[in-house]
Amino acid sequence: MPRLTIDGREIEAQAGQTVMQAATEAGIFIPYFCWHPKLSVPGNCRICVVGVEDKGGEWVEIACNMPVAEGMVVFTNSEKVKARRKATMQFITLNHPVDCGICDKAGECTLQDYHYEYNGERSISLDAKVHATKHYDLSERIVLDNERCIQCTRCVRFTREISKSNGLGMQNRADHTLVRAVEDGSFASDPYSDNVIDICPVGALLSRSFLHKARVWYLKPTASVCPGCARGCAVNLWHRRPEWKLRSAEQRVHNDEIDRVTPLDNPAVNGPWICNKGRDLARVFGRARAEGAMLKGRAADLQGAIKQARSLIAAAKRPVAIVSSWGSNEELAAFKAALGGRMTAFVKPDHQPEPGEVVEDAILIRADKNPNTAGARALFGDAAPDIPKDADLVLVWGEGFDFGRIPAGAKIVYLNAWLQPENGHADVFLAVSIQTERDGHYTNFAGVTSAFSKCFAKPAGVADAEALFAALAGTAGGGE
């Protein structure tokens, strides 16, 4: 294990590490643009220069591509390093526009931060800036501002090394270099393409769905789990901060919306990446909601509906339950404790693959489009739903079940969160909360359990399933 000294602090590195890796592991910050811990090292931005001391004095080199050596002495902030870093920032911003006030990356831009930290001066160039395309459609999901691009090539390397689509390349040379999608359309069909937005260190690659929507300082991230497949990727759901809630009537609806979704680095599940489907969770959570109970299709108050469902369950001689694979571990355990001894329970998939989507791949995407099949099957087994002909009550929890499979004459108690035709066919319909309105855990296909947290309050007239099951069993009275 080589030992080296960085800024007067002796650290032990691993053999084969670079100075950047050793410093990062030791909590010593060295600035970078093109370097990324999950990508190859091109060493083209030069901002990570450090000083190395030897018998001839201090010389500078880039930390991202310099191997550690026994006895090495490194300076990350010497006068020589500061001068080289300042010159590098002057060069990088030579043609870069100073339009931070209109840039969607404002608040998250490392170039903006480094310009303030390491340069802080006006451009010394007397020549006019080289202009390029300001709004180039890289795909239907991503807009490219070529003037902001610093040619770090992170996006190009991502498509070659992570998503394997080889969908992006560099065109032309020097200050006329442009990032472009290859003509075969592979970038447009890359199911992981939106990750290049996250790893772009400047405001060059922008999400069309988030463009001009909100400043990031008006938003807050809530840690959650993507329910799009059995991988259960860790994500951040970004939504409006309470102190920055909108007040006008036409904008108020945005206060309870997901504005964007980004990966939450979890080495045990998804690393720093998610697929594009995970980015589109706002559409999943933003569907029309069922916000009230019903008795045979007619609106009812929640407590009255719970009482009616409890009576039907108590009177049933052969009740069957169809359990949701979108239920949290807490909700599933609550069902098992309250009704598991009373009903024969089967687990169903709530969602199936949609036409056109990637069903499964070797990176993240799983064929099972439900987040907690493993958690549900651990409690209720993996037998396919098989409703006996003499079943006289069927409790259906969640989406995706064909009511035509329910025996004629059997009573139906239905728990669902969305506005769907089946709701009106149930003897008792109970509207339940969705993932963004409660805390909980999912267990993914590999047995890794991850937590998600509440973003918003549930609508009035909606019950939390975890509390509801005890009320349906008659062991609790509220359902709230």
PDB file of all heavy atoms in Angstrom, residues 21-33:
ATOM      1  N   GLN A  21      -8.265   9.568  -7.077  1.00  0.00           N
ATOM      2  CA  GLN A  21      -9.003   8.547  -6.329  1.00  0.00           C
ATOM      3  C   GLN A  21      -8.562   8.509  -4.873  1.00  0.00           C
ATOM      4  O   GLN A  21      -9.393   8.429  -3.960  1.00  0.00           O
ATOM      5  CB  GLN A  21      -8.800   7.178  -6.978  1.00  0.00           C
ATOM      6  CG  GLN A  21      -9.473   7.036  -8.332  1.00  0.00           C
ATOM      7  CD  GLN A  21      -9.073   5.757  -9.050  1.00  0.00           C
ATOM      8  OE1 GLN A  21      -7.923   5.326  -8.997  1.00  0.00           O
ATOM      9  NE2 GLN A  21     -10.037   5.141  -9.731  1.00  0.00           N
ATOM     10  N   ALA A  22      -7.250   8.563  -4.643  1.00  0.00           N
ATOM     11  CA  ALA A  22      -6.748   8.513  -3.271  1.00  0.00           C
ATOM     12  C   ALA A  22      -7.218   9.735  -2.476  1.00  0.00           C
ATOM     13  O   ALA A  22      -7.630   9.622  -1.315  1.00  0.00           O
ATOM     14  CB  ALA A  22      -5.228   8.427  -3.275  1.00  0.00           C
ATOM     15  N   ALA A  23      -7.159  10.903  -3.111  1.00  0.00           N
ATOM     16  CA  ALA A  23      -7.581  12.126  -2.427  1.00  0.00           C
ATOM     17  C   ALA A  23      -9.080  12.090  -2.127  1.00  0.00           C
ATOM     18  O   ALA A  23      -9.526  12.448  -1.023  1.00  0.00           O
ATOM     19  CB  ALA A  23      -7.230  13.342  -3.282  1.00  0.00           C
ATOM     20  N   THR A  24      -9.863  11.653  -3.101  1.00  0.00           N
ATOM     21  CA  THR A  24     -11.319  11.594  -2.909  1.00  0.00           C
ATOM     22  C   THR A  24     -11.677  10.659  -1.767  1.00  0.00           C
ATOM     23  O   THR A  24     -12.529  10.991  -0.924  1.00  0.00           O
ATOM     24  CB  THR A  24     -12.010  11.142  -4.211  1.00  0.00           C
ATOM     25  OG1 THR A  24     -11.686  12.061  -5.256  1.00  0.00           O
ATOM     26  CG2 THR A  24     -13.515  11.095  -4.039  1.00  0.00           C
ATOM     27  N   GLU A  25     -11.051   9.488  -1.717  1.00  0.00           N
ATOM     28  CA  GLU A  25     -11.330   8.546  -0.629  1.00  0.00           C
ATOM     29  C   GLU A  25     -10.943   9.109   0.729  1.00  0.00           C
ATOM     30  O   GLU A  25     -11.555   8.800   1.747  1.00  0.00           O
ATOM     31  CB  GLU A  25     -10.587   7.231  -0.865  1.00  0.00           C
ATOM     32  CG  GLU A  25     -11.272   6.321  -1.854  1.00  0.00           C
ATOM     33  CD  GLU A  25     -10.679   4.920  -1.864  1.00  0.00           C
ATOM     34  OE1 GLU A  25      -9.829   4.604  -0.993  1.00  0.00           O
ATOM     35  OE2 GLU A  25     -11.076   4.157  -2.739  1.00  0.00           O
ATOM     36  N   ALA A  26      -9.903   9.963   0.735  1.00  0.00           N
ATOM     37  CA  ALA A  26      -9.436  10.555   1.994  1.00  0.00           C
ATOM     38  C   ALA A  26     -10.202  11.818   2.359  1.00  0.00           C
ATOM     39  O   ALA A  26      -9.912  12.468   3.363  1.00  0.00           O
ATOM     40  CB  ALA A  26      -7.948  10.860   1.897  1.00  0.00           C
ATOM     41  N   GLY A  27     -11.167  12.200   1.517  1.00  0.00           N
ATOM     42  CA  GLY A  27     -11.971  13.397   1.800  1.00  0.00           C
ATOM     43  C   GLY A  27     -11.291  14.693   1.423  1.00  0.00           C
ATOM     44  O   GLY A  27     -11.669  15.759   1.915  1.00  0.00           O
ATOM     45  N   ILE A  28     -10.288  14.613   0.563  1.00  0.00           N
ATOM     46  CA  ILE A  28      -9.576  15.814   0.101  1.00  0.00           C
ATOM     47  C   ILE A  28     -10.113  16.170  -1.275  1.00  0.00           C
ATOM     48  O   ILE A  28     -10.068  15.362  -2.206  1.00  0.00           O
ATOM     49  CB  ILE A  28      -8.058  15.562   0.037  1.00  0.00           C
ATOM     50  CG1 ILE A  28      -7.536  15.194   1.423  1.00  0.00           C
ATOM     51  CG2 ILE A  28      -7.342  16.781  -0.531  1.00  0.00           C
ATOM     52  CD1 ILE A  28      -6.099  14.710   1.437  1.00  0.00           C
ATOM     53  N   PHE A  29     -10.626  17.388  -1.421  1.00  0.00           N
ATOM     54  CA  PHE A  29     -11.294  17.777  -2.667  1.00  0.00           C
ATOM     55  C   PHE A  29     -10.303  18.321  -3.685  1.00  0.00           C
ATOM     56  O   PHE A  29      -9.489  19.188  -3.382  1.00  0.00           O
ATOM     57  CB  PHE A  29     -12.364  18.833  -2.395  1.00  0.00           C
ATOM     58  CG  PHE A  29     -13.051  19.323  -3.640  1.00  0.00           C
ATOM     59  CD1 PHE A  29     -13.950  18.507  -4.307  1.00  0.00           C
ATOM     60  CD2 PHE A  29     -12.774  20.584  -4.152  1.00  0.00           C
ATOM     61  CE1 PHE A  29     -14.591  18.938  -5.465  1.00  0.00           C
ATOM     62  CE2 PHE A  29     -13.405  21.026  -5.312  1.00  0.00           C
ATOM     63  CZ  PHE A  29     -14.312  20.205  -5.957  1.00  0.00           C
ATOM     64  N   ILE A  30     -10.404  17.790  -4.896  1.00  0.00           N
ATOM     65  CA  ILE A  30      -9.677  18.311  -6.054  1.00  0.00           C
ATOM     66  C   ILE A  30     -10.723  18.578  -7.135  1.00  0.00           C
ATOM     67  O   ILE A  30     -11.512  17.691  -7.458  1.00  0.00           O
ATOM     68  CB  ILE A  30      -8.630  17.294  -6.568  1.00  0.00           C
ATOM     69  CG1 ILE A  30      -7.579  17.023  -5.488  1.00  0.00           C
ATOM     70  CG2 ILE A  30      -7.967  17.798  -7.842  1.00  0.00           C
ATOM     71  CD1 ILE A  30      -6.610  15.909  -5.851  1.00  0.00           C
ATOM     72  N   PRO A  31     -10.780  19.789  -7.699  1.00  0.00           N
ATOM     73  CA  PRO A  31     -11.840  20.093  -8.683  1.00  0.00           C
ATOM     74  C   PRO A  31     -11.670  19.279  -9.960  1.00  0.00           C
ATOM     75  O   PRO A  31     -10.560  18.901 -10.324  1.00  0.00           O
ATOM     76  CB  PRO A  31     -11.666  21.588  -8.943  1.00  0.00           C
ATOM     77  CG  PRO A  31     -10.232  21.861  -8.628  1.00  0.00           C
ATOM     78  CD  PRO A  31      -9.885  20.931  -7.495  1.00  0.00           C
ATOM     79  N   TYR A  32     -12.787  19.019 -10.624  1.00  0.00           N
ATOM     80  CA  TYR A  32     -12.747  18.266 -11.890  1.00  0.00           C
ATOM     81  C   TYR A  32     -13.987  18.572 -12.700  1.00  0.00           C
ATOM     82  O   TYR A  32     -15.042  18.901 -12.169  1.00  0.00           O
ATOM     83  CB  TYR A  32     -12.640  16.756 -11.627  1.00  0.00           C
ATOM     84  CG  TYR A  32     -13.734  16.213 -10.728  1.00  0.00           C
ATOM     85  CD1 TYR A  32     -14.972  15.827 -11.233  1.00  0.00           C
ATOM     86  CD2 TYR A  32     -13.518  16.083  -9.353  1.00  0.00           C
ATOM     87  CE1 TYR A  32     -15.962  15.334 -10.407  1.00  0.00           C
ATOM     88  CE2 TYR A  32     -14.500  15.597  -8.514  1.00  0.00           C
ATOM     89  CZ  TYR A  32     -15.723  15.221  -9.038  1.00  0.00           C
ATOM     90  OH  TYR A  32     -16.715  14.742  -8.214  1.00  0.00           O
ATOM     91  N   PHE A  33     -13.841  18.468 -14.023  1.00  0.00           N
ATOM     92  CA  PHE A  33     -14.973  18.533 -14.950  1.00  0.00           C
ATOM     93  C   PHE A  33     -15.138  17.203 -15.674  1.00  0.00           C
ATOM     94  O   PHE A  33     -16.191  16.589 -15.623  1.00  0.00           O
ATOM     95  CB  PHE A  33     -14.755  19.632 -16.004  1.00  0.00           C
ATOM     96  CG  PHE A  33     -14.944  21.033 -15.509  1.00  0.00           C
ATOM     97  CD1 PHE A  33     -13.901  21.939 -15.559  1.00  0.00           C
ATOM     98  CD2 PHE A  33     -16.164  21.466 -15.023  1.00  0.00           C
ATOM     99  CE1 PHE A  33     -14.056  23.232 -15.118  1.00  0.00           C
ATOM    100  CE2 PHE A  33     -16.338  22.764 -14.578  1.00  0.00           C
ATOM    101  CZ  PHE A  33     -15.277  23.651 -14.619  1.00  0.00           C
TER     102      PHE A  33
END
